Amino acid sequence: MRPMRAPPENAATAAALSLLSAQAVRTRAHRMLAVGLDDALPHFRVELDRLEATVDLVLAVTRASYPTLDVPFHSRWRHFAAGGEDRWTSLAAATHWPDRAARARTAVDLAVVSVLLDAGAGPDWAYVDPRTGARIGRSEGLALASFDMFARGAFSERPDEPLRAGGAALARLPYETLRRGFQVTDDNPLVAVDSRTDLLRRLGAVVTNAPHVFGRADVPRPGGLFDHLAGQAGGGSIAAGAILSALLHDMGAIWPSRLTLGGVALGDCWRHPALTSADATSGLMPLHKLSQWLAYSLIEPLQAAGVAVVDVEGLTGLAEYRNGGLFIDTGVLALRHPQDAGPAHDVSSTLVVEWRALTVALLDRLAESLRQRLGMDANALPLAKILQGGTWAAGRKLAYERADGAPPLRVISDGTVF
């Protein structure tokens, strides 16, 4: 028998690029769910008969916050309005903008930086809001801390223009800047604060080295992505999946060195033995949580600048611990080995990868059932609104009822995943 030869580099590269899309996330997540429904996963049993009760909870939580079901998209902009004050709207209204594009670049600067700082904060950290004195933890606290830093010009290279994030300034961001801005002390520890700084530094390097993407109308800055995306908007519209594609291809190098294939860094993509295939992607599960969270968060700046975003349903649900915790806490997902609820698990473990992939697929199932219940379609109630209404809020509600808001599984992360 002739020995098998490794596939050529271009074949491996093509295989890698096939994983950089929301469709790849959705397809493989549903493959994972299919294995789970056959009761063949190593870590979780799927109790699909409990899904309708979960739909009941999500609908009740949604109606409590949005009685008319006029739900906004799930995005970083919701967190900037924590406490009832919409800080971005107030800041933008008080600023003179030369045109809509200038405002959009600033909004994209803010969204990119804030989302990339949004991985789990840990249970012991909180941000004391200088305006109100309120102590705010987790995602909302991270949002307000990053917003206040941005408004003070912490990411700008121009003292006379604080409301920007410059590629050069990000590339040399001091560690102490983030520590100070996030009020990190021994008594107020933030998970992986230095890894977050490194992520922003890599963002600055990527932006600076790609002026054809990020510097079309200004010096290279994350907000230059607006001009790049607007340039792709044929007929004045762009698909949400195209936003994600730009993020994964043009910003993929920001992620820490994890899995690579054919010279392509795969980012938030992990191994799981259940996902076999005939090509070089066998055993790989892409999730791209922060990138999709960012794609959702870029929709509103684009729309405000006159660029229509279509096919929002092309993005997937987010594989993070609020959505995932919802399914564990309602019994849709049951640990095959209950003792796994005790120790912390590395984000690369098959248990965590399995949990996150099942979360994505189950969000699709839940969304379909919820729409049927309400007599609405995906255009009227897209997944982006169900997440906001919704699954994220319901997951958080159950987490605080069960304990102190912590997820049902503890995950060891580097501050750049979720």
Side-chain angles (χ1 to χ4, degrees):
M1 180 181 294
R2 298 171 63 183
M4 292 183 63
R5 292 187 297 173
E9 184 74 358
N10 60 347
T13 300
L17 294 176
S18 74
L19 297 175
L20 302 184
S21 71
Q23 186 56 51
V25 175
R26 176 164 274 125
T27 298
R28 295 196 172 213
H30 280 276
R31 283 183 56 195
M32 187 81 78
L33 178 59
V35 176
L37 292 175
D38 285 339
D39 199 28
L41 287 174
H43 299 291
F44 286 95
R45 296 190 309 276
V46 181
E47 308 290 351
L48 208 58
D49 59 334
R50 296 178 180 265
L51 186 61
E52 288 307 307
T54 308
V55 174
D56 290 338
L57 172 64
V58 171
L59 182 55
V61 169
T62 302
R63 287 195 183 279
S65 297
Y66 306 98
T68 65
L69 297 181
D70 184 18
V71 185
F73 286 162
H74 190 55
S75 77
R76 195 55 159 167
W77 305 103
R78 307 290 80 77
H79 291 157
F80 296 142
E85 179 189 357
D86 190 334
R87 301 182 183 211
W88 164 248
T89 297
S90 299
L91 180 64
T95 303
H96 170 71
W97 306 104
D99 51 38
R100 290 194 299 178
R103 172 174 167 157
R105 290 184 201 104
T106 294
V108 172
D109 275 341
L110 172 58
V112 171
V113 169
S114 187
V115 166
L116 294 184
L117 292 171
D118 191 41
D124 301 319
W125 176 86
Y127 181 65
V128 178
D129 183 357
R131 303 190 194 191
T132 66
R135 184 174 170 84
I136 305 169
R138 303 197 180 271
S139 198
E140 290 92 342
L142 293 170
L144 294 186
S146 59
F147 181 91
D148 287 346
M149 290 181 69
F150 184 86
R152 292 195 303 266
F155 309 112
S156 174
E157 75 280 23
R158 298 178 180 176
D160 59 332
E161 294 185 36
L163 301 183
R164 59 186 292 126
L170 290 169
R172 58 174 183 266
L173 186 70
Y175 288 105
E176 183 55 30
T177 297
L178 218 59
R179 288 178 167 270
R180 186 170 55 251
F182 281 85
Q183 304 172 348
V184 176
T185 65
D186 290 344
D187 295 326
N188 192 39
L190 174 65
V191 170
V193 60
D194 290 346
S195 294
R196 297 169 200 259
T197 304
D198 289 337
L199 184 61
L200 291 189
R201 286 179 168 183
R202 288 192 295 272
L203 170 67
V206 166
V207 164
T208 302
N209 291 328
H212 62 290
V213 176
F214 299 99
R216 292 187 174 194
D218 196 350
V219 297
R221 56 191 285 198
L225 189 63
F226 164 75
D227 302 287
H228 180 61
L229 294 172
Q232 297 180 25
S237 68
I238 187 170
I243 300 173
L244 178 64
S245 179
L247 293 172
L248 293 175
H249 287 82
D250 296 318
M251 286 174 48
I254 71 173
W255 303 110
S257 297
R258 296 185 187 119
L259 297 178
T260 61
L261 178 61
V264 176
L266 299 179
D268 186 6
C269 180
W270 312 89
R271 296 192 183 279
H272 194 287
L275 298 177
T276 59
S277 63
D279 66 0
T281 67
S282 186
L284 296 179
M285 178 64 226
L287 291 157
H288 306 312
K289 183 267 173 176
L290 275 180
S291 295
Q292 293 208 75
W293 177 226
L294 181 50
Y296 279 122
S297 298
L298 294 185
I299 292 173
E300 286 159 86
L302 285 163
Q303 290 178 329
V307 178
V309 178
V310 299
D311 191 24
V312 176
E313 199 69 7
L315 300 177
T316 78
L318 300 179
E320 48 81 53
Y321 65 85
R322 290 297 186 218
N323 291 317
L326 169 69
F327 292 117
I328 291 179
D329 284 338
T330 57
V332 177
L333 293 178
L335 285 167
R336 195 173 292 280
H337 308 290
Q339 63 269 27
D340 284 339
H345 303 274
D346 192 270
V347 71
S348 64
S349 67
T350 55
L351 184 149
V352 174
V353 175
E354 193 172 301
W355 179 35
R356 298 179 72 202
L358 290 169
T359 296
V360 171
L362 287 169
L363 285 169
D364 279 347
R365 288 286 192 107
L366 182 147
E368 181 181 359
S369 179
L370 183 60
R371 291 182 193 122
Q372 288 177 353
R373 188 88 62 87
L374 295 171
M376 303 171 75
D377 61 16
N379 290 322
L381 192 63
L383 185 57
K385 294 188 176 186
I386 293 172
L387 294 172
Q388 175 62 27
T391 58
W392 191 91
R396 181 174 62 173
K397 179 178 185 294
L398 292 181
Y400 277 99
E401 289 176 353
R402 173 178 35 77
D404 60 353
L409 292 180
R410 293 194 295 146
V411 178
I412 304 169
S413 181
D414 62 1
T416 67
V417 179
F418 70 178

